[in-house]
Amino acid sequence: MADITRRFGWRHLRGAPTAHVRHHRSGRLLHDGPGLSFWYRALSAALSEVPVDDRELAMTFHARTSDFQDVAVQATVTYRISDPALAAGRLDFSIDPDTGVWRGAPLEQLGTLLTETAQQHALDVLARTSLAAALVDGVAAVRERIAGGLAAEPRLPATGIEVVAARVVALRPEPEVERALRTPAREQIQQDADKATYERRAVAVERERAIAENELASQIELARREEQLVDQRGTNARREAEERAAADAVRAGAEAARTVRLADAEAARTVRLAGAEAQAAREVGEARAAAQDAWLRVHAEVPVGTLHALTGTRLAENLPRIGSVTVSPDVLTGLLAHLGAGSAASALDGPSGESA
């Protein structure tokens, strides 16, 4: 849309580079071209603005295939106005001189023309194509047919319109038909997925079996080695017991021999000690006998009184020390009587001795 400003009853228009502006006054063309800027009077000016940039026209329409199935066609047509003067003469691109707004709807008219033309060519193609073929190859066929039909349409060049490109976005059947068509494919995909799952499970089971067999073989090998280890340990234990028994036998023999030697030495020593003790005892006995004999010979030659005196002396030496002696009258009487009797006996023995 052109940019229009007001100044003291005059209007100033500033156009865009992608907009072709035509200015007529009193039937004469004063300004013609894109990106113009000029002053004009609103009461005497006739303005038209034609866009010359590429424009996208999205269209959606329904068609029926040869097997009477409805499909929705989504397409996009790129076009541009190659001859603005011709387009302004065929379509109403006039703008309000005060606001710059189109007075009509020229782009809608142009869009209707392109849509109906493209729809006609698409219907011709799909009417001779089955639904399955349309879903498989229909997009390319419809695109080529629409592009060729628009290029061959005489009304478009006569209106100054050039079709740049045509694209078909999608061909879609009705939702129920689409679900019905998707079902076999989904079933096939599900079957493939199940098959892949089963194969993966089979591979996993096979691997688990191989792992289990390896573990079993490892356990068997381990048990066999443990059995060998037990046998070797038993052999080692028996050998150790035999060695220990042989060592004990050698030790016992040595201990017995040592004990025998010690016993023999002890017996010999005992015999020697017994002989020495016997010899010593014999010598001691002989010495005692000789001493006793000498003592007896000595005492046989000593008088009786001397013997009595020696006896008393020996007795006195062996008696315990007496601190004090208490003599009762009875003891004193008996002692005196004894002493008296002894004195009398001595008196009697005296004369007889002397006579003797």
Side-chain angles (χ1 to χ4, degrees):
M1 185 178 66
D3 184 11
I4 298 176
T5 58
R6 300 180 183 184
R7 293 291 187 277
F8 306 107
W10 288 82
R11 305 290 186 269
H12 182 270
L13 182 145
R14 184 173 60 188
T18 58
H20 189 100
V21 178
R22 295 172 63 84
H23 175 210
H24 292 81
R25 187 179 63 185
S26 299
R28 291 186 299 119
L29 181 63
L30 300 180
H31 299 91
D32 185 18
L36 299 180
S37 178
F38 56 88
W39 292 91
Y40 67 91
R41 286 186 177 274
L43 295 178
S44 60
L47 301 173
S48 63
E49 184 182 18
V50 181
V52 293
D53 58 334
D54 291 350
R55 290 183 174 265
E56 301 284 343
L57 176 63
M59 58 186 70
T60 301
F61 52 88
H62 291 272
R64 179 169 293 182
T65 61
S66 61
D67 49 359
F68 305 101
Q69 299 295 327
D70 291 337
V71 293
V73 181
Q74 296 179 359
T76 301
V77 175
T78 303
Y79 69 95
R80 65 184 181 88
I81 299 175
S82 58
D83 191 347
L86 185 60
R90 298 294 300 270
L91 299 174
D92 185 11
F93 284 96
S94 63
I95 61 175
D96 189 286
D98 291 327
T99 60
V101 179
W102 278 319
R103 291 178 176 177
L107 295 182
E108 292 182 2
Q109 295 177 2
L110 189 58
T112 301
L113 175 62
L114 292 173
T115 301
E116 289 179 353
T117 304
Q119 183 177 0
Q120 180 180 359
H121 292 289
L123 292 176
D124 292 341
V125 174
L126 294 176
R128 295 190 297 269
T129 306
S130 63
L131 178 61
L135 295 179
V136 175
D137 301 323
V139 172
V142 172
R143 181 181 65 252
E144 293 176 359
R145 184 60 181 272
I146 290 176
L150 291 176
E153 180 63 31
R155 291 183 58 187
L156 298 180
T159 314
I161 299 172
E162 178 183 357
V163 176
V164 177
R167 300 185 302 276
V168 176
V169 179
L171 285 175
R172 303 192 62 179
E174 294 181 349
E176 295 81 2
V177 177
E178 187 174 4
R179 285 193 296 269
L181 293 175
R182 287 178 178 178
T183 300
R186 289 183 176 178
E187 291 294 334
Q188 183 64 35
I189 293 172
Q190 186 64 38
Q191 291 178 4
D192 295 340
D194 294 340
K195 182 179 179 180
T197 302
Y198 296 150
E199 291 178 355
R200 185 170 61 254
R201 290 180 179 177
V203 171
V205 170
E206 182 65 22
R207 291 180 179 177
E208 290 180 357
R209 185 183 64 79
I211 293 172
E213 289 180 354
N214 292 334
E215 291 180 353
L216 182 59
S218 300
Q219 293 178 0
I220 293 174
E221 180 65 19
L222 181 61
R224 186 179 63 80
R225 293 186 178 181
E226 288 181 353
E227 182 179 0
Q228 293 178 355
L229 180 60
V230 170
D231 294 340
Q232 186 64 36
R233 285 179 178 176
T235 302
N236 295 339
R238 287 193 298 271
R239 185 178 300 170
E240 184 178 358
E242 292 174 356
E243 295 292 337
R244 190 182 299 112
D248 292 341
V250 172
R251 191 183 303 109
E255 188 67 25
R258 179 174 175 275
T259 303
V260 169
R261 289 194 301 272
L262 291 176
D264 293 341
E266 186 66 24
R269 180 173 174 274
T270 303
V271 170
R272 288 195 301 270
L273 290 177
E277 289 179 356
Q279 182 65 25
R282 186 167 54 252
E283 292 177 354
V284 169
E286 291 177 355
R288 286 180 179 178
Q292 187 70 23
D293 186 34
W295 186 79
L296 290 177
R297 285 196 306 270
V298 171
H299 285 76
E301 297 175 357
V302 176
V304 176
T306 302
L307 292 177
H308 286 171
L310 290 173
T311 301
T313 301
R314 182 65 60 85
L315 179 62
E317 290 177 357
N318 293 325
L319 287 177
R321 184 177 180 181
I322 300 174
S324 63
V325 178
T326 303
V327 181
S328 63
D330 296 335
V331 175
L332 183 57
T333 302
L335 183 57
L336 293 175
H338 182 67
L339 290 176
S343 298
S346 299
L348 294 176
D349 292 335
S352 59
E354 293 178 356
S355 57

